Amino acid sequence: MDPIIALDFEDLETTQAFLAQFDPTTPLFVKVGMELFYREGPAVIKKLRMQRPVNIFLDLKLHDIPHTVEKAAYQLGRLGIQLTTVHAVGGSAMLEAAKAGLLAGAADANVQAPKLLAITHLTSSTPAMLRTELSITTPLPQAVQHLAAVAQAAGVDGVVASAQEVPLIRAVTASDFLIITPGIRPAHTALGDQKRVVTPKQAHELGSSGIVVGRPITQASDPIAAYQQIKAEWSDHQ
């Protein structure tokens, strides 16, 4: 899986201008998050595909009662995307409802159903925040491991987690369970608001299935060179 570029832009125009820097015949894997999707709506998926071949990770992090999540996931399943997300802390019933909604939506639209990823704990989370603000006394790595096991048991295809927790997740999940890792920063780059970060090489060595990279590419002075460097570091270890 190629590195997933996080398209954290405010509108379609800015997003397309960024993507126009890349060879239009080169397939890319991109992440569409809340900001862009809420601004442009579901039509953004079709519009991105008009410009170039893309696989799309739609990262909306659904979290609500099971019925509401199932209905929302049904709509997402119709879009022909490749990956999407829910929060693991919503519990097994919500995770199962999300999976059912995606499958039903994809079937009705006659498209392949996206893989469902559960968010464990965000890479901006810290042990102190979990302990003092959420009253979670379980150590962060073990809390992530537990949520991954819950997600797999609920039929979810994988999780989003820091690469630092990948070995723990691998210990309690199947070999084909996806572990997609954000918080990727090449050496000598700013961390921003990420707390639990690794390099592309380290992510591979720890067992990540795929990596998500945003600002080190989108805010680079030469985004294509930055992408190629990250892709090479990641792919050289595949």
Side-chain angles (χ1 to χ4, degrees):
M1 182 185 296
D2 286 341
I4 301 170
I5 304 174
L7 299 178
D8 296 327
F9 300 108
E10 64 179 3
D11 56 36
L12 179 63
E13 181 180 4
T14 306
T15 303
Q16 290 181 324
F18 168 77
L19 290 174
Q21 298 174 82
F22 293 81
D23 183 337
T25 65
T26 301
L28 294 176
F29 208 137
V30 300
K31 181 175 79 74
V32 174
M34 296 179 189
E35 181 181 18
L36 183 58
F37 191 82
Y38 292 163
R39 171 69 178 263
E40 303 291 345
V44 71
I45 304 302
K46 182 178 181 180
K47 291 176 180 177
L48 286 175
R49 288 191 170 129
M50 292 172 63
Q51 186 178 14
R52 64 181 316 108
V54 288
N55 286 323
I56 295 177
F57 173 13
L58 182 56
D59 186 20
L60 300 183
K61 301 181 177 69
L62 302 181
H63 188 185
D64 211 309
I65 63 172
H67 176 77
T68 299
V69 166
E70 182 170 359
K71 295 300 184 183
Y74 174 88
Q75 299 300 332
L76 301 185
R78 295 176 57 83
L79 298 176
I81 56 177
Q82 281 63 55
L83 298 171
T84 194
T85 52
V86 293
H87 271 290
V89 293
S92 295
M94 191 202 76
L95 295 172
E96 291 168 0
K99 184 67 174 181
L102 287 178
L103 292 175
D108 284 353
N110 196 29
V111 296
Q112 185 172 351
K115 299 292 187 182
L116 180 61
L117 305 175
I119 304 296
T120 53
H121 286 291
L122 301 173
T123 51
S124 58
S125 298
T126 64
M129 186 271 281
L130 264 65
R131 184 176 62 254
T132 61
E133 298 180 26
L134 303 182
S135 295
I136 296 175
T137 56
T138 302
L140 180 56
Q142 283 68 41
V144 168
Q145 182 187 49
H146 174 71
L147 288 174
V150 168
Q152 180 178 252
V156 174
D157 301 294
V159 292
V160 177
S162 166
Q164 294 175 8
E165 282 98 44
V166 169
L168 286 173
I169 295 171
R170 289 284 178 221
V172 297
T173 58
S175 59
D176 61 349
F177 192 70
L178 296 173
I179 308 176
I180 305 299
T181 55
I184 301 298
R185 293 290 185 271
H188 312 302
T189 59
L191 300 185
D193 53 4
Q194 302 280 9
K195 304 301 182 184
R196 306 191 326 276
V197 303
V198 298
T199 67
K201 178 181 177 181
Q202 289 170 330
H204 168 77
E205 292 172 343
L206 289 165
S208 298
S209 307
I211 58 174
V212 179
V213 188
R215 284 167 284 188
I217 297 173
T218 60
Q219 296 184 12
S221 57
D222 186 341
I224 298 175
Y227 172 74
Q228 294 296 344
Q229 178 183 354
I230 290 167
K231 182 179 179 180
E233 185 176 348
W234 167 251
S235 299
D236 283 351
H237 300 280
Q238 293 289 292

